[in-house]
Amino acid sequence: METQVLPDGIEPYIRLVILFTIIITALMLLLCYLYLSIRKARKQEQLSHDFSNLVIEGLETERRRISRELHDTILPQLHGRAVSGQIRSICVNLMPPDFTCLSLKDALAHFCMQFSKRSGIQCACFIEETLDFSFFCAEDQLHVFRMVQESFNNIEKHSKANSASLSVRYNPAGGADHILICVSDDGVGLINRNTEGLGMRSIRQRAAILGANIDFINETGNGLMVRVELLVPPPADFARQSREDE
């Protein structure tokens, strides 16, 4: 049986086709691997997001329960004015503001005033008058309030500060679509930069739920700034109209 000899010039062409086939196959396998990896990462991110929501929801439920227990069971049995005042203050801090009756701006301003009275730390509060949080749902407004509250709790417990401040305004770099929230103090700052307490982790969780950018700007001996940048959601009517157009 005779072996068929390929014409001159055909064999290099066949080798080139085989090489291209191998390269294309490898690229397709790589693309499939990247697609599956991205899909897995997105699924894990969604699971992490859902878990954070459940944790925060459970935390808020427990806050309400403890506040009611203190108010209805413990407080009526106390007669000392100082102790009663402390328990009432704890109840107020645990219970979330009613954003159906009170705006987030008013709730933040009131909180700063109460913080200064309670802690003895001078607190400056600036909230831009034209700010509009009405596009945020009540749950998201509560996340914003809790982040500010937790930041001030950290100041009171750890900073050794004499003064603190809250600034809430539109971010000049982002325009009316971005709200910038800054909580700062003149305390000792983060002594151990590699360690974050429960309060800071809670702030990060809430920021992740909101899709907000967050930074802890620290200078040891010169205080700490918690910087949160929020993207304002579109108005409900606009979002609904967009869904109808689709």
Side-chain angles (χ1 to χ4, degrees), residues 49-231:
H49 185 273
D50 293 342
F51 178 74
S52 295
N53 272 322
L54 289 174
V55 170
I56 296 296
E57 183 180 347
L59 179 62
E60 289 297 335
T61 301
E62 193 63 14
R63 282 175 182 263
R64 293 184 179 93
R65 186 190 68 79
I66 295 174
S67 180
R68 286 193 296 268
E69 289 291 332
L70 288 173
H71 185 273
D72 298 339
T73 306
I74 305 299
L75 194 59
Q77 301 179 26
L78 297 175
H79 302 289
R81 181 174 298 178
V83 177
S84 297
Q86 291 177 352
I87 296 296
R88 289 183 188 277
S89 178
I90 292 172
C91 291
V92 170
N93 286 333
L94 288 173
M95 286 296 289
D98 184 1
F99 293 116
T100 60
C101 303
L102 186 70
S103 71
L104 177 57
K105 292 192 293 184
D106 290 339
L108 291 174
H110 179 73
F111 172 80
C112 287
M113 181 179 64
Q114 293 299 317
F115 169 82
S116 185
K117 288 181 178 180
R118 181 184 71 252
S119 66
I121 299 174
Q122 184 179 358
C123 182
C125 179
F126 170 76
I127 302 177
E128 192 169 332
E129 291 185 5
T130 57
L131 275 176
D132 186 5
F133 283 101
S134 63
F135 297 146
F136 292 87
C137 66
E139 182 180 353
D140 289 347
Q141 291 186 48
L142 179 58
H143 286 314
V144 173
F145 180 84
R146 291 300 193 200
M147 285 194 292
V148 172
Q149 184 184 45
E150 195 60 59
S151 299
F152 276 103
N153 286 343
N154 288 338
I155 291 174
E156 185 176 1
K157 293 176 183 177
H158 309 296
S159 73
K160 301 179 182 178
N162 295 314
S163 63
S165 66
L166 169 66
S167 173
V168 187
R169 59 187 175 86
Y170 288 114
N171 186 3
D177 290 336
H178 292 76
I179 294 176
L180 188 61
I181 302 171
C182 294
V183 179
S184 58
D185 64 77
D186 63 352
V188 297
L190 286 176
I191 298 176
N192 189 344
R193 297 170 183 257
N194 298 320
T195 302
E196 290 188 358
L198 182 61
M200 295 179 72
R201 291 198 296 271
S202 174
I203 294 172
R204 285 194 185 277
Q205 278 186 317
R206 293 183 186 274
I209 290 172
L210 291 171
N213 294 322
I214 184 164
D215 289 307
F216 295 98
I217 303 171
N218 176 62
E219 293 184 11
T220 303
N222 292 314
L224 174 71
M225 174 186 288
V226 180
R227 185 183 186 277
V228 181
E229 186 174 359
L230 290 168
L231 180 63

Side-chain angles (χ1 to χ4, degrees), residues 37-49:
S37 297
I38 293 173
R39 185 176 178 181
K40 182 179 179 180
R42 287 179 176 175
K43 185 177 180 179
Q44 289 177 340
E45 182 181 358
Q46 183 61 44
L47 289 174
S48 177
H49 185 273

